[in-house]
Amino acid sequence: MLGKEQIAAEEAWYETEKVWLVHRDGFSLGSQLRPEAGSPLPEGKVKVKLDHDGAVLEVEEDDVEKANPPSCDRVEDLASLLYLNESSTLHTLRQRYGGNLLHTYAGPTMVIINPLSSPSMYSEKVMHMFKGCRREDSSPHIYAVAQAAYRSMLMSRQDQAIVLLGASGSGKTTNCQHLVQYLATIAGSTGKVFSVEKWQALYTILEAFGNSSTGMNGNATRFSQIISLDFDQAGQVASASVQTLLLEKLRVARHPANEATFNVFYYLLACSDSTLRTELHFNHLAENNVFGIVPPSKPEEKQKATQQFSKLLTAMKVMGISGDEQKAFWLILGAIYHLGAAGATKAGRKQFARHEWAQKAAYLLGCSLEELSSAIFKHQPKGTLQRSTSFRQGPDESPLGDSGPKLTALECLEGMAAGLYSELFTLLISLLNRALKSSQHSVCSVTVVDTPGAQNPKLAGQSRGATFEELCHNYAQERLQQLFHQRTFARELERYKEENIELALADAEPSSSDSIAAVDQSSHQVRSLARTDEARGLLWLLEEEALQPGGNEDTLLERLFSYYGPQEGGKEGHNPLLPSDKPRHFLLGHSSGTNWVEYDATGWLNYVKHNPASQNASALLQESQKKVISSLFAGRGGSALVLSGSVAGLEGGSQLALRRATSMRKTFTTGVAAVKKKSLCIQIKLQVDALIDSIKKSKLHFVHCFLPKAGAGGDPQAVLCRRVSSSELELPAEHCEAGLMQLDVPLLRAQLRGSRLLDALRMYRQGYPDHMVFAEFRRRFDVLAPHLTKKHGRNYIVVDEKRAVEELLESLDLEKSSYHMGLSRVFFRAGSLARLEEQRDTQTSRNITLFQAACRGFLARQHFKKRKIQDLAIRCVQKNIKKNKGVKDWPWWKLFTTVRPLIEVQLTEDQIRGKDEEIQQLKSKLEKVEKERNELRLNSDRLESRITELTSELTDERNTGESASQLLDAETAERLRAEKEMKDLQAKYDALKKQMESMEMEVMEARLIRAAELNGELDDDDSGGEWRLKYERAVREIDFTKKRLQQELEDKLEVEQQGKRQLERKLADLQADSEESQRALQQLKKKCQRLAAELQDTKLHLEGQQGRNHDLEKKQRRFDSELSQAHEEAQRERLQREKLSREKDVLVAEVFGLKQLLEDRDSDIAGLTQKAEALEAELQDISSQESKDEASLAKVKKQLRDLEAKVKDQEEELDEQAGTIQMLEQAKLRLEMEMERLRQTHAKEVESRDEEVEEIRQSCQKKLKQMEVQLEEEYEDKQKVLREKRELESKLSAVSEQANQRDFETEKRLRRDLKRTKALLADAQIMLDHLKNNAPSKREITQLKNQLEESEFTCAAAVKARKSMEVEIEDLHLQIDDLAKAKGALEEQLSRLQREKNEVQSRLEEDQEDMNELMKKHKAAVAQASRDLAQMNDLQAQLEEVSKEKQELQEKLQGLQSQLEFLEQSMVDKSLVSRQEAKIRELETRLDLEAANQSLQSDLKLAFKRIGDLQAAIEDEMESDSNEDLINSDGDSDVDSELEERVDGVKSWLSKNKGSSKTLSDDGSLKGSSPTSSRHTFTYDRWDDEQDAGDSTRRSSRSSPSASEAESRAAETPA
């Protein structure tokens, strides 16, 4: 009834069209009203009726979002919402949070809302509830994330990383603690390297030294930490390590108002150990401290701090930190406190304000006051301290401290305190890693990343601006958020594009890369000091302004706004930077513009400058006079390298820890990092880069932590999101249910938007988040398709993996929309792969159960065979003991047993000596091999360590080379640019020089003319009036011209100003139009995105409905098949019932006939008894006679012996018949069991045959289609081969023509050479003859020999060329023959395939006919078997009756025999003897009734014949089944083989029985054997027939003792 109510409620929900109305305070539930026909609504407006007050409002269409049915209010996964929008998501989160359900799945990620109180859902019992569970089977919990990462690591052997995201105070560190505690509890540790106790101690120490109280969080983490757990092959924790980054070391000396320094100072000041307080000079504390370190004032705070200090001491002991090491920590912390109490002068000479407190600090640090003062203020402590210079300084440049304003005394003091605490924290992390490291081999790791949350002072109700440290933490959160968006959205889109998968996804909003670029965008000019127009981030600008002589925060912000601030005519919505009303303040939009943080840049330049006092802290600690301090810091001078002060905890003993450290070092030593490694600003970016690079190669699991409420006094609506909704409605927030925990909905909405979680959810819902490579998917899930595995084999090699996967998916009968085939992998919708995994687990468990059953059966059979062998061995031992008893007193046996050991002693000793020598040789070889193995192992370890060292050195050298090459490229580019600028400046200089020279010449000429005019005036006063008039006239003309030109210029200027005003008005109008169009475009885009999202949600809902329909159809098909099977079973049962009723009628009739036969036999037995009584009376009469006759007596004795012989024969025949009856009973039972099993198997066979026939038809159709495709392909191949043949023939003809022509030319050349050679030989002969006669010289002879050798070489070369041409011709002929053979083979294959196609079709038809005939034969055989069973039952009843009659007659014969013996002893009369003989003859004639035995034997023979016919019918059936065994499963063959074995056993038994009866009838000597022997023989034979085929040897050995026993009993039987 409840289900119907829920269905009715959901139907009513869909009919009312419920929506969410978004307003300033959150959202309210309402119903969207349809517009009336007479009064249409304006465009973009809808009417909504609110549910809580019934008000009808006309609102913007963009402010309305669809609502989900009530069943989705507390859904565990946000991806399963019907309509995915902000309001529905927030409503689900609020409902779950109100029900104390803090964790919610959001697709592949987890959303956690931090509770305001500590819930009791993190116990060890809850941990074990999640142990071993899959993500799909577990409820949302932080333990489920840890279990999913751990399970994925074990299955894939890939490193995992869990990243926690969220604002400060949202519970990231607490969840990090739960994650690591779960892994330590569930996985365990080898040798207790890492345990829950150690983790709690580690967390306590890190909380004390790295946490402090802030405005947003009472216990905020002030550093980023990477916790790595390395696991071994068994999945246990082998080692662990902690790396820390972005430590707020300056918080020791300087922190915002209403905030505190690190917790450890308060714990130390409240310690109750008087000795420690006296040693640290804490008995009298200073009244004021420039660092703001003040002891707790309230008693409860002091008591709590004292307890925390005791807990801290215990934790340090657990982590293996000794007492001296702890003392060093307390000394340094006390020195920092006393430095704050000492203070510094504000003006004048740099020195301490209160030297007595400085003296205490120097004493605690183990140095003098002068050394401490010099290290802080003069920057030259005792010893060699390296001077801090920037990479940009050349050899002649001044240090950084001289480029800007000098540091004040207080800043130097703060730098020393920050340096001391940084060194102390780095040492602490090293000691913690020392307690966690191990040399055990590790395979993979799980990394947990915890960073300080996003900071916003306005959210905590503070009016101050954010500091530089808060900017660094916000920047790290932005980078992690960008990594989340890249992994869950951008990377998935790239993968779909690579795999050619089209995905209709609405355009997402741009990522937060603008705000990240405003912080860290780098410059291409690495070593440029000039202020260029190239856009750079805040960190780079800070470094440049700190290096410029006149740089300050104002110029910094001016340059920053010029790059990223709002521009004139630009779009306002895309600016990551906005100006503030306060001086040196600016607004930076984090989290995609949803979290605008106001920063105060005052003093940032002094912060980023190098403070030498901070750098001198390390040397001061290393040269301390206190051994407890110097011993800890003495060996740390050379290990810091470039990561000193940046990343702590790079030590580690495992291979994975070394690999992580190498990755981080590479981040700090390659590229721009090698140049900027000493820059404090760029170190911030490098640390975040190292953090991202260390987890980028792992499989990431993201956890979003949301803040439920803002701090007191904050206005989150104005801070986090300037405009949450386009609507200006001010509606009361929707009332939640009573008792639910309240949420700040605008704050939660801003966090949801900033996290870009909905984009990832839409990608997860609409895309294919699960994917696997083709080969991996086939290997993993082919267990679900056993017919494919049986078809191809378990480890078959697939050429086309994609096709194999498609066949596998078709056999799995998945919904088409639930998967997509890519180019290299198969993609699945969310949840599809999980369902396949569940099916695989079910099938695997079923297979394992069957395997276990088979193993147990095999072991039981082996145990049974072992017991049989033991029984046989016991019998053999008993037989040997009996034999030994018979021969132990035999003298020759005694002699044999005495002499034989003496003979074997010598042989045994020789063998023992040989074996000892072999053992010694093997021992020596073993020792030698062990020694060589140890040496090789040592060499291998040494070589591996050397390889590791060389690899690290090579990596460092490569990194150095890369950085040097990049520096060289940058220097080259800078030099070329400088040369170009130099040339331009030189050209400008030359042009200006020429212009200046020309102007100087003009001035000189003007001066000369003026001087000449003055001289002329002085010389000629008369002509001066004329010149003066000319001069005055020229002056007046010039004045008039000036006035005219000025008037014209003013007129033109007025006209231009009017035009300008008109253009400005037009521009303002165009800008207004543009803004209006932009707003309309934005509204249209939002509407389009909203409609697209709703459309996608509807599509997903439709796909879900289609999937459910598909599942229902599968279930319906399964139900239909089961229903049809049930109908067939019922029909079969009905037919069996009818058959049984008919058999019952037949049996009733037979029983009636047997009863009549039994009555006849009873009447015959009564007559025989009467005759026997008469005979007894006659015998009494005979015994009363006293006359005796010896002849008659002898005759009677002879007849008596004959009768005894006949009686014995009859007894033997009766024994044989009894054995036959017993055999028939057993055969009957066996046949009954066999027929029952056949009935059961026949029903299953008939069901499976129909399915197999259908499968055969489908497979044959597929084969026919494949054959047709193959025929087409072979036809195409044939055509291709023919074309190739023609081409080869043409090539061959051309080659043969060339060869013939070449042969002809070669032959001509050879003939010509031969003629020339013959002529040369003739000339040579003539010359030789002539030389013989004329005594030639040796030189001529050598010339002739040389000519002869050259001619022979030419001839040989010609012969070789001819042979090579012949070989080429033969190769071409062979190729032609091969092509002809290939052509013939293809034609034969084509014809063969055609024949196979016809044969398959005919075979299908024949199989169908054979199936029908087989069913008929099987039914006939079953009917015949039932009839034979009935006949055998009848024969058994008759045999029982005959055996009873036989016993009665045997008893009567015994009585007669005893009477005859009595007559032998007494003398009787001949007449009486003759009368007795006559009566005996009558008895013999009466005994002829036993002739019925012959009829029974004939009936038995007839039964044996019928059994033989039944066996023949079964064999024919098995022969017909053998044709189908090619298709049938192995189970059918096992049943047929078992049936055939049983039939063969019956057949052999029948042949034995016939043979034994024949021997008994033919051989008279065997008739005297006892009936027990035949029974024993039959028993052993029957037992042997029931054994397996493989036990033939044991069966023969078993039957032989029974046969010998039967012979011995036959021999012992008296004749």
Side-chain angles (χ1 to χ4, degrees), residues 220 228 319 437 649 695 705 772 958 996 1039 1249 1445 1560:
S228 302
M319 296 306 293
K437 71 178 182 180
I695 62 175
C705 301
M772 293 182 74
R958 186 182 293 114
M996 187 177 66
D1039 293 337
R1249 293 286 166 80
E1445 294 176 358
L1560 288 172

Side-chain angles (χ1 to χ4, degrees), residues 119 133 169 252 420 473 483 683 691 763 1089 1122 1216 1339 1596:
C133 294
V252 177
L420 289 174
H473 295 317
L483 178 65
Q683 272 193 3
L691 172 64
M763 173 62 70
Q1089 290 177 359
E1122 292 176 356
E1216 291 176 1
R1339 184 172 58 81
S1596 61

Side-chain angles (χ1 to χ4, degrees), residues 1435-1452:
L1435 292 174
Q1436 185 178 0
Q1438 293 177 5
L1439 286 172
E1440 290 175 355
E1441 295 173 358
V1442 171
S1443 62
K1444 290 178 181 179
E1445 294 176 358
K1446 173 189 170 185
Q1447 290 176 359
E1448 294 174 355
L1449 293 175
Q1450 191 172 2
E1451 291 175 355
K1452 292 178 181 179

Side-chain angles (χ1 to χ4, degrees), residues 16-58:
T16 53
E17 194 174 355
K18 295 291 183 180
V19 294
W20 296 111
L21 176 60
V22 183
H23 49 82
R24 190 172 292 178
D25 294 328
F27 50 90
S28 299
L29 184 63
S31 302
Q32 184 174 351
L33 303 178
R34 296 180 181 178
E36 299 177 359
S39 58
L41 293 173
E43 186 177 358
K45 298 283 186 177
V46 292
K47 277 188 178 182
V48 175
K49 181 181 180 182
L50 300 180
D51 285 359
H52 64 276
D53 59 357
V56 179
L57 301 176
E58 186 175 327

